[in-house]
Amino acid sequence: MDRIMVEKSPPLKGNVRISGAKNAALPILAASLLGTEDIILEDVPKLKDVEIMCEVLTSLGSKVDYLDEGVIRINSAGISNYETSYELMSKMRASFLVMGPLLTRMGKTKNSMPGGCAIGTRPIDLHLKGFRALGATIDIDHGNIGAYTEKLVGDKIYLDFPSVGATENIMMAATMAEGETIIDNAAMEPEIVDLSNFLNKLGADIKGAGTSTIRIKGVKKLGGARHSIIPDRIEAGTFMVAAAITGGDVVIENVINSHVKPIIAKLKEAGCTVEEGIDSIRVIGNSELKAIDIKTLPYPGFPTDMQAQFMALMTILKGTSMVIETVFENRFMHVDELKKMGADIKIDDRSAIIKGIKQLKGAVVKASDLRAGAALVLGGLVADGITEIENVYHIDRGYDGIEAKFTGLGAVIYRKND
Ligand code: EPZ
């Protein structure tokens, strides 16, 4: 199994270019099942999760070609299968996003129930609520979930929680439903807007993405398109925190500033200098950064996917910081690992109190999920000695070439395989 080794590094300096967003690429790849002509996707990040989603599309009958670095061509005119395999679904729960497109294209779909993961049970009740509202019959047995319908008819759907995945799955299922569909209390993440823009390029009629009310008017057919994936705001945030925690001076390139507003605000609150360019952000850290509090919320609130990375920073801020995690019920798996490095953290249900210490110490630690893994890399950059991170496959799911990007900024980080 690979491990990532991180040594105490000098303050990071230089420029780093952000890749396309994992959480936009995955739903857009799933949505390509709706198209009946060639689709060209650009700025697709080179990630394990993207590879798995492409395997799912191929297993359903789509033609998937890797044309160039970050460029994929998909043609789903001839899809013939409506079942995703247990093996693929269990590798990546986001495969569940093919359910809406398959229901639309094939009138039926069958997947194994997506499992939970380290950060929570990850229920799908809101996805199913939407499919039923559009007229689908849902059948769950022996861990499989089937959905079928003669036709999909638009309806008004209220989401009890602004779920990103449910908003995406329902939006895709509604693209060719009869009549109009309204999604109320929809998620407003930038990745939802990117998906909506892609679907409209295919010929869909969607308005309101990015607000809490999305209206979808059903159309007869969707064609092809060329689309470039938006930059990954969470990867950008991760490198912004890397500049802060090492007291460095880093320019993050290829970022949409409005997507990282909460991250900019919190780094400024801690005492960083943040300079915004047209599509770049410069973060300058220093040795006097002070404690801050964060509370994770659906977009445009502070992103839960940045919680672990900020907690790594908080371990060495002057004073006591507080984290409240409101989105997932178990997203503190990184706490025990940071404590192995000497961090002073106390958890009480969904809150964590972090008392700043002078110096973390290198240790052997385990990545429990994608963002927790990133947090351990950030801690390792400033910890005394060497930090050895196991289960790095979590990190590879969401960060395209993480060592090269950090090395380019002067970090001492390398991979060791047994
Ligand atoms: C997406 O997951 C992202 N993944 C996650 O990123 C991200 O953390 C999350 O949105 C929140 O921003 C992808 O886009 C592939 P949700 P998703 O449905 O869609 C509850 C990463 O690190 N809920 O918004 O699964 C659920 O329990 C990953 O890149 C229901 O109750 O998130 C959770 O508490 C991690 N019923 C909350 O909503 C449902 O039917 C947020 O889940 C669905 C969700």
Side-chain angles (χ1 to χ4, degrees):
M1 297 284 268
D2 281 5
R3 296 148 190 261
I4 286 185
M5 314 295 282
V6 188
E7 297 186 13
K8 186 172 170 55
S9 300
L12 300 188
K13 296 248 192 288
N15 294 28
V16 61
R17 182 171 177 74
I18 299 305
S19 302
K22 167 179 85 83
N23 292 348
L26 294 177
I28 286 171
L29 282 165
S32 64
L33 286 164
L34 294 164
T36 52
E37 293 157 33
D38 270 2
I39 287 168
I40 306 279
L41 297 179
E42 295 167 336
D43 293 331
V44 181
K46 196 169 176 337
L47 302 171
K48 193 77 194 120
D49 276 11
V50 167
E51 269 172 50
I52 295 170
M53 185 60 93
C54 289
E55 279 176 50
V56 172
L57 298 182
T58 307
S59 73
L60 296 167
S62 293
K63 232 173 110 10
V64 179
D65 301 295
Y66 291 85
L67 297 184
D68 201 353
E69 188 64 22
V71 183
I72 298 182
R73 179 180 56 213
I74 303 131
N75 186 304
S76 302
I79 58 169
S80 51
N81 184 5
Y82 58 87
E83 291 194 49
T84 49
S85 72
Y86 170 77
E87 194 245 340
L88 283 173
M89 179 63 82
S90 57
K91 272 188 187 171
M92 181 185 65
R93 56 183 309 286
S95 321
F96 194 66
L97 290 171
V98 303
M99 201 162 171
L102 287 174
L103 203 46
T104 300
R105 278 294 300 277
M106 310 293 284
K108 53 187 170 187
T109 172
K110 195 165 175 211
N111 313 279
S112 59
M113 291 287 278
C117 69
I119 62 177
T121 51
R122 313 295 293 273
I124 54 167
D125 56 308
L126 298 175
H127 298 241
L128 303 183
K129 175 180 181 180
F131 295 147
R132 287 192 178 100
L134 295 175
T137 302
I138 305 288
D139 188 27
I140 299 177
D141 84 87
H142 299 95
N144 281 316
I145 181 162
Y148 47 90
T149 175
E150 286 307 308
K151 68 176 175 177
L152 291 166
V153 180
D155 199 348
K156 208 169 159 61
I157 300 156
Y158 171 76
L159 294 182
D160 309 49
F161 181 90
S163 155
V164 172
T167 302
E168 293 167 342
N169 237 334
I170 296 165
M171 194 158 77
M172 292 187 279
T175 49
M176 290 185 265
E178 207 174 83
E180 183 173 81
T181 299
I182 303 271
I183 306 175
D184 258 336
N185 196 29
M188 301 191 273
E189 273 71 2
E191 293 77 26
I192 306 272
V193 178
D194 204 27
L195 173 62
S196 169
N197 291 340
F198 170 67
L199 289 168
N200 284 339
K201 282 183 186 175
L202 291 180
D205 180 355
I206 302 171
K207 284 195 170 44
T211 74
S212 59
T213 304
I214 301 177
R215 181 200 53 68
I216 306 111
K217 271 191 181 148
V219 296
K220 286 270 168 284
K221 192 166 175 274
L222 295 180
R226 176 181 285 271
H227 184 79
S228 172
I229 306 290
I230 56 170
D232 194 316
R233 61 191 168 101
I234 304 302
E235 186 189 27
T238 304
F239 282 97
M240 290 164 72
V241 172
I245 198 170
T246 59
D249 180 348
V250 174
V251 177
I252 287 95
E253 296 171 345
N254 190 37
V255 55
I256 298 173
N257 298 4
S258 60
H259 292 176
V260 291
K261 269 191 192 151
I263 300 162
I264 293 171
K266 284 297 166 182
L267 289 178
K268 281 184 172 171
E269 215 179 292
C272 293
T273 304
V274 181
E275 295 166 2
E276 296 186 46
I278 303 289
D279 64 351
S280 66
I281 293 179
R282 181 181 179 191
V283 176
I284 307 170
N286 61 65
S287 57
E288 297 305 312
L289 297 182
K290 54 189 192 312
I292 51 175
D293 297 337
I294 62 170
K295 178 177 184 181
T296 67
L297 288 166
Y299 193 90
F302 187 93
T304 174
D305 291 351
M306 280 301 304
Q307 182 255 106
Q309 299 92 312
F310 263 80
M311 194 182 285
L313 171 64
M314 290 165 167
T315 62
I316 57 166
L317 295 180
K318 296 193 178 330
T320 300
S321 301
M322 182 162 181
V323 170
I324 301 176
E325 170 58 60
T326 72
V327 177
F328 287 107
E329 72 268 23
N330 186 35
R331 201 165 198 173
F332 285 147
M333 307 286 280
H334 42 283
V335 169
D336 282 346
E337 303 308 307
L338 289 169
K339 285 168 81 168
K340 283 181 194 165
M341 299 171 75
D344 179 348
I345 308 172
K346 287 188 180 50
I347 296 178
D348 174 10
D349 192 22
R350 289 197 178 199
S351 306
I353 303 284
I354 304 99
K355 281 206 179 74
I357 61 168
K358 273 207 96 32
Q359 172 83 57
L360 289 172
K361 289 184 287 307
V364 178
V365 288
K366 274 190 174 50
S368 52
D369 65 271
L370 161 60
R371 308 303 173 182
L376 297 173
V377 170
L378 296 175
L381 293 174
V382 293
D384 222 7
I386 298 180
T387 299
E388 186 168 331
I389 304 170
E390 299 178 333
N391 298 348
V392 292
Y393 57 87
H394 285 296
I395 299 177
D396 295 335
R397 293 186 50 189
Y399 287 91
D400 183 350
I402 191 163
E403 296 108 286
K405 284 175 178 162
F406 272 114
T407 309
L409 295 172
V412 183
I413 176 173
Y414 48 94
R415 195 170 285 246
K416 196 173 96 171
N417 28 45
D418 292 351

